[in-house]
Amino acid sequence: MKKTALLLCGLILIPILILGWLSVRLEQNQQQLIQHQFQALVEVKLQSVDNLFQGHFQRLEAVLKSEASVLNSDTETSHSPLALRQLIKASPYIEQIFILSPTRERVYPRHDNATAQELQFLQQTKTLLDTPTLFAHTQESLMTTQTRSANSVAPQKSTTPLQIAQAPYSAQLKSAPQTQRLTRSGENTRSAETEMPPLSTSSLEVVAADSHVASPTPKAMPKAEPTDSGWIAWYNNTQLQHIYWQTTPDNRVIGFAISRARLLSDLINLLPDQSEIASKNSLSNAVITLKNSRGELSYEWGDATIAADTLTPIKSLNLSHPLGSWRLDYATTSLNKPEQNWLEKLLILVITLSGLSTLGWLIYREQTRESRLALQRVNFVNQVSHELKTPLTNVRMYTEMLESQLDDEQVKQKRYLSIINNESKRLTRLIDNVLSFSKLERDSLDLTLQMGTVQACINTTLDAFTPAFTQRGIKPVLTSQCDTSVLLDPHCVEQILNNLFSNTEKYAANSGTLQIECWQEHDYSFIRIHDNGPGIDEYSSRSIFDQFYRASNKLTDGVSGTGIGLSIARELARKHGGDLILESTPSGACFLLSLHTPISLSHTAVKGNL
């Protein structure tokens, strides 16, 4: 019953544990999928802001190209210091202008006639203007700029001065300028439109920020158009500065230093303000921050109730060139503490556990009821068998008394009484097997040890089987060396021999000699019983000691039996500290019985359950 209860508990707990584990794994996978999808959406949103900034630089580039085309139209008058200073003063975007000769020597501004502002600009850009490779997109410079243009990076906690003081480099924007409208210098009431051809589908894809588009060949290019251009980003006292440059058809370089304050103002004006966020009810529980190269906050929009500096960004994006050292951070409280329906899952587990427990209890109750009924049947059989022993004993006793009082001439009457006596003994052996089987099943069979000889047990059993053996044509031959007095249970030994001799009587009729050998070695006694019957085939030899097993063949068909004799004999032998085995023999069946038979009580604990 305990095994049944443990088995049912395992059948209930194992599915619950598996269900709970699968529920946790499903929840984790679902959270990971949600986070992955959410981060993908966030990346698209941050990329749209980057594209918005790129669009502004494209429009600014279009305006600067228009300014450069004006300067190229009349180099004598437009390249004069007075005209250039007037252009700087009139343009809201240009902070300073420089011009390099085809040999990359500085033409403007010059130290001999430079203003204080121009001298300061020359001092700040000395290294930059002395590096001619910045104003030509060679293959090496392209590879360098492409390496610098990684779009997505992990969140950065701080930016060190080493990260700020990077060397200036030149690169083009992500795509060609689109049709936009920006005010040029000298235009108070009208706006300059730079018309561009429609963008192809491939140009709308996200590409590297510093990818270079090869310039048309000189034959296909109008003479007034520049042959090369680009943007330079460098740091001036930890402040990010921008220069747009382009080459003229005569291989000169015209550069425009962009007003940092105006550029930052224009970029921030492109971003949504809090009133727009509130009206559209967007970015709830989230905030986007724009940080400069030093990690300082430049602008922030989103949920005003969230302190962005207290949250770890779930996604960061480095802006494209020429704002490559700036980044966008997206922080939210939605994924920091994901809402999990643990109560609902726990309720499901409790309901499942309750259902399985109820089912297990019903199965257990039915099993215990069947077990009780089976136990009642066994007890009934045991009680009946035990009650039958008393009348059988009386029958045998009065049969033996009548047989002793008969004269020798009354042969017929003696034969009748002998048959009654033999059948009563057979019935007694059957009842003893039933009672022993019941006790062995309940593990309540105890041996009663006493001093005696194994040979006496063999003789007693042979005497009981002599009439049956004579009638069945079996002649027992005993070779005994077991006359030493030892500790044993005579009733247990006789019952084992009864079962072995009974099988010989049933299945080895007319087999002739029955060899019985007995010998002793140390604290063990051995009995070998070998008949000359048909024997036991190899297939049946594997199962003859199993309970209720009976070989099915022409020798066993029609022979009565319960199939428990050999199993009881082996269990009794093991109970006596020995064993019963079937030995291989060319003919007949050969059983070897071993018993633990110490010569004194001090040796009883050597082996066996005595």
Side-chain angles (χ1 to χ4, degrees):
M1 302 303 294
K2 292 182 178 179
K3 293 181 179 179
T4 303
L6 292 176
L7 180 60
L8 289 176
C9 290
L11 291 176
I12 292 173
L13 292 178
I14 290 176
I16 291 297
L17 294 177
I18 294 176
L19 183 61
W21 179 76
L22 290 177
S23 178
V24 173
R25 288 295 304 272
L26 181 62
E27 181 70 22
Q28 292 176 349
N29 292 338
Q30 185 178 5
Q31 289 297 327
Q32 291 177 358
L33 179 61
I34 292 175
Q35 290 182 1
H36 179 74
Q37 293 176 344
F38 188 76
Q39 288 183 355
L41 293 175
V42 169
E43 184 174 1
V44 171
K45 191 173 188 65
L46 296 182
Q47 192 66 49
S48 66
V49 177
D50 183 45
N51 293 335
L52 193 65
F53 288 166
Q54 284 293 299
H56 178 74
F57 277 100
Q58 292 166 5
R59 293 189 295 271
L60 182 58
E61 182 176 321
V63 171
L64 296 177
K65 283 186 176 181
S66 299
E67 301 286 3
S69 63
V70 173
L71 294 177
N72 291 330
S73 60
D74 188 358
T75 57
E76 295 182 359
T77 58
S78 61
H79 285 188
S80 65
L82 181 60
L84 294 174
R85 289 167 186 163
Q86 288 294 331
L87 176 59
I88 295 172
K89 186 176 181 180
S91 175
Y93 310 106
I94 302 174
E95 189 173 76
Q96 193 56 256
I97 299 176
F98 66 90
I99 300 175
L100 302 180
S101 67
T103 59
R104 297 304 181 257
E105 294 180 358
R106 188 176 67 256
V107 176
Y108 175 84
R110 302 179 62 86
H111 282 282
D112 52 1
N113 60 352
T115 63
Q117 185 177 2
E118 291 173 347
L119 290 175
Q120 183 181 4
F121 173 74
L122 291 176
Q123 183 181 0
Q124 294 173 352
T125 60
K126 182 179 185 303
T127 303
L128 185 146
L129 296 179
D130 292 341
T131 309
T133 56
L134 288 175
F135 307 100
H137 291 306
T138 61
Q139 186 68 21
E140 181 179 358
S141 65
L142 285 176
M143 294 178 62
T144 303
T145 55
Q146 288 174 1
T147 305
R148 296 171 179 263
S149 62
N151 289 331
S152 298
V153 296
Q156 301 176 359
K157 295 183 178 180
S158 61
T159 306
T160 64
L162 291 177
Q163 293 172 316
I164 296 175
Q166 56 180 329
Y169 64 97
S170 176
Q172 293 181 338
L173 298 178
K174 291 172 60 175
S175 59
Q178 302 177 8
T179 302
Q180 297 292 346
R181 187 186 297 268
L182 276 180
T183 303
R184 290 176 45 196
S185 61
E187 294 181 348
N188 297 327
T189 58
R190 66 184 184 90
S191 299
E193 289 189 1
T194 306
E195 299 294 337
M196 299 299 298
L199 295 177
S200 63
T201 304
S202 59
S203 65
L204 296 176
E205 297 178 354
V206 178
V207 296
D210 302 329
S211 60
H212 173 65
V213 181
S215 301
T217 60
K219 293 181 180 181
M221 182 188 302
K223 293 183 179 181
E225 291 296 325
T227 59
D228 207 354
S229 63
W231 286 85
I232 298 176
W234 95 101
Y235 290 89
N236 176 25
N237 295 328
T238 71
Q239 297 294 330
L240 184 62
Q241 302 289 336
H242 296 93
I243 286 179
Y244 173 74
W245 63 269
Q246 71 174 36
T247 58
T248 62
D250 55 357
N251 200 24
R252 289 182 301 168
V253 174
I254 300 178
F256 302 91
I258 308 302
S259 172
R260 178 179 175 276
R262 177 58 186 264
L263 177 62
L264 180 61
S265 175
D266 289 344
L267 294 178
I268 292 178
N269 287 333
L270 295 174
L271 301 176
D273 55 15
Q274 289 301 124
S275 60
E276 183 180 354
I277 294 294
S279 62
K280 294 183 178 180
N281 196 22
S282 59
L283 286 179
S284 58
N285 299 325
V287 62
I288 301 177
T289 56
L290 174 63
K291 294 184 178 180
N292 59 22
S293 57
R294 292 177 295 178
E296 298 174 346
L297 181 65
S298 297
Y299 188 70
E300 175 182 290
W301 71 99
D303 193 341
T305 61
I306 298 178
D309 54 349
T310 62
L311 298 177
T312 301
I314 66 170
K315 194 69 178 179
S316 293
L317 180 75
N318 275 2
L319 296 177
S320 302
H321 182 76
L323 296 175
S325 60
W326 288 24
R327 75 172 189 268
L328 293 168
D329 290 341
Y330 188 101
T332 180
T333 58
S334 300
L335 295 181
N336 290 340
K337 294 181 179 180
E339 183 179 354
Q340 299 178 348
N341 298 324
W342 290 112
L343 182 60
E344 180 181 349
K345 294 180 175 60
L346 182 62
L347 182 61
I348 294 175
L349 291 178
V350 169
I351 293 175
T352 306
L353 179 61
S354 301
L356 291 177
S357 300
T358 303
L359 180 61
W361 178 77
L362 292 175
I363 296 174
Y364 181 75
R365 188 182 70 171
E366 185 66 21
Q367 179 69 22
T368 53
R369 188 177 70 85
E370 293 295 332
S371 299
R372 285 195 301 269
L373 291 176
L375 183 61
Q376 290 175 0
R377 296 188 186 100
V378 172
N379 290 335
F380 173 76
V381 173
N382 292 337
Q383 189 67 27
V384 172
S385 301
H386 191 272
E387 293 296 330
L388 287 175
K389 292 191 68 175
T390 301
L392 282 174
T393 303
N394 291 332
V395 169
R396 289 179 57 189
M397 181 182 64
Y398 284 108
T399 301
E400 292 174 356
M401 288 175 59
L402 287 173
E403 191 175 5
S404 64
Q405 293 177 2
L406 291 176
D407 297 332
D408 294 337
E409 292 81 8
Q410 296 176 305
V411 178
K412 188 175 182 179
Q413 289 81 354
K414 284 188 175 182
R415 186 167 61 85
Y416 290 162
L417 291 176
S418 177
I419 293 174
I420 295 174
N421 191 19
N422 290 336
E423 293 302 322
S424 63
K425 289 180 180 179
R426 184 191 298 273
L427 186 56
T428 300
R429 291 195 298 270
L430 179 60
I431 292 174
D432 288 340
N433 279 340
V434 173
L435 294 176
S436 298
F437 177 78
S438 175
K439 291 180 180 179
L440 289 172
E441 287 294 309
R442 299 197 304 267
D443 198 18
S444 60
L445 179 64
D446 296 323
L447 300 181
T448 304
L449 298 177
Q450 61 187 43
M451 297 302 295
T453 63
V454 177
Q455 183 174 341
C457 296
I458 297 174
N459 292 332
T460 301
T461 309
L462 280 177
D463 290 342
F465 274 89
T466 297
F469 281 164
T470 302
Q471 184 180 1
R472 302 285 286 176
I474 300 173
K475 182 181 179 180
V477 177
L478 174 61
T479 303
S480 176
Q481 299 176 0
C482 299
D483 53 358
T484 304
S485 181
V486 293
L487 281 171
L488 50 76
D489 185 342
H491 177 73
C492 177
V493 176
E494 291 174 7
Q495 188 173 359
I496 295 172
L497 294 174
N498 281 331
N499 287 326
L500 294 175
F501 291 158
S502 177
N503 282 344
T504 303
E505 176 195 356
K506 292 178 182 178
Y507 306 115
N510 302 316
S511 60
T513 304
L514 173 64
Q515 298 289 340
I516 305 172
E517 299 179 58
C518 179
W519 71 94
Q520 292 177 322
E521 295 179 3
H522 304 293
D523 290 336
Y524 285 89
S525 298
F526 297 89
I527 303 172
R528 178 180 283 117
I529 301 174
H530 184 195
D531 62 48
N532 292 317
I536 303 173
D537 60 83
E538 183 180 358
Y539 177 79
S540 299
S541 63
R542 304 171 185 172
S543 307
I544 58 171
F545 292 107
D546 296 341
Q547 295 177 359
F548 308 109
Y549 176 80
R550 296 192 67 209
S552 178
N553 52 47
K554 62 181 181 179
L555 296 175
T556 59
D557 292 344
V559 180
S560 62
T562 59
I564 62 174
L566 288 178
S567 65
I568 292 176
R570 168 174 274 188
E571 291 300 325
L572 290 176
R574 291 176 175 176
K575 195 77 173 179
H576 213 295
D579 202 358
L580 176 64
I581 62 174
L582 176 66
E583 291 186 328
S584 177
T585 179
S587 62
C590 183
F591 290 92
L592 178 62
L593 172 65
S594 60
L595 300 170
H596 183 230
T597 54
I599 58 176
S600 64
L601 288 173
S602 60
H603 295 166
T604 57
V606 176
K607 278 194 178 182
N609 185 13
L610 307 179

